[in-house]
Amino acid sequence: MRQLALKILADVHEPPESVVGPLRALGVHVEIVALPVADYIVAEGVLVERKTVRDLHDSVVQGRYWLQLGRLRRSCDRPYLLVEGVDLDRGRLGQESIRGVYLATLDMGVPIIRSADGPDSARWLRRLAIRAGITRRRPDRPVYAQRPKPNEDPPEAVLAAVPGISARLSRALLAEFGSVAGVIEA
């Protein structure tokens, strides 16, 4: 199997000793640049905002978290929030509040990755880069654009795709009315 050449862009404000060093030790080429959004670009369309637990608490309290999250979501197809630190409750927000922040983040469509420390964060970033390099996100195809299964009768599949109509009922309807058009007309 061919080894992927991994390149990750890191923001100039990321401390080199915490994640950048461990990334390089994992064989990842890291380029330090001023990123307008996010802390890492692991692949085209894949951005990661990294926060320590304390910084997560502080950024919510200071009012910058939701602005950062909004910019992150608008800037890419696949945004991620990487939260680094073992104890989620080590910060200024209460236990219920920080969990509410987590749920609101997930509701906004931003997956959350938890890591223990800088080296663990580096492993997550590397894995995201590998995954982005070997998988291409395909647009969702509507049900009607998909090919029927080999043993599946297309008219039966069309009817069975309608909510509330099972495969058994679709067979009965076709037997009674002769075709999908006949079922629709009836």
Side-chain angles (χ1 to χ4, degrees):
M1 187 169 153
R2 179 174 74 86
Q3 180 71 19
L4 293 171
L6 298 176
K7 177 181 175 184
I8 293 178
L9 303 180
D11 187 61
V12 295
H13 296 100
E14 282 296 285
E17 67 282 351
S18 64
V19 179
V20 173
L23 269 172
R24 287 181 172 145
L26 291 170
V28 177
H29 173 73
V30 181
E31 189 175 324
I32 309 295
V33 295
L35 296 177
V37 177
D39 295 312
Y40 295 93
I41 299 177
V42 298
E44 184 178 337
V46 183
L47 275 61
V48 178
E49 177 69 29
R50 176 186 155 269
K51 296 213 174 282
T52 62
V53 168
R54 182 174 304 279
D55 184 37
L56 175 63
H57 282 259
D58 291 346
S59 64
V60 171
V61 170
Q62 295 166 2
R64 59 188 158 90
Y65 178 73
W66 300 112
L67 295 172
Q68 288 175 325
L69 199 64
R71 283 195 309 268
L72 182 69
R73 289 180 57 228
R74 288 188 301 276
S75 298
C76 66
D77 293 332
R78 296 189 303 193
Y80 289 91
L81 173 66
L82 189 146
V83 178
E84 185 178 294
V86 178
D87 187 357
L88 182 61
D89 298 317
R90 296 200 51 113
R92 302 191 301 183
L93 294 173
Q95 293 177 341
E96 294 299 315
S97 296
I98 195 63
R99 282 160 181 78
V101 168
Y102 254 55
L103 291 175
T105 301
L106 292 169
D107 287 345
M108 292 174 73
V110 179
I112 301 172
I113 299 171
R114 287 298 308 271
S115 77
D117 53 23
D120 190 28
S121 293
R123 287 187 293 275
W124 277 110
L125 292 170
R126 180 178 177 273
R127 178 52 47 194
L128 280 172
I130 290 170
R131 184 175 182 216
I134 59 176
T135 59
R136 297 284 181 246
R137 193 171 209 185
R138 288 186 252 152
D140 291 336
R141 294 185 313 161
V143 174
Y144 61 81
Q146 297 177 18
R147 295 182 184 186
K149 295 179 179 94
N151 298 335
E152 189 173 57
D153 183 27
E156 183 181 315
V158 168
L159 290 175
V162 175
I165 298 180
S166 67
R168 179 182 289 174
L169 180 56
S170 67
R171 280 191 294 276
L173 288 169
L174 287 170
E176 179 69 26
F177 299 105
S179 67
V180 174
V183 172
I184 291 171
E185 192 174 305

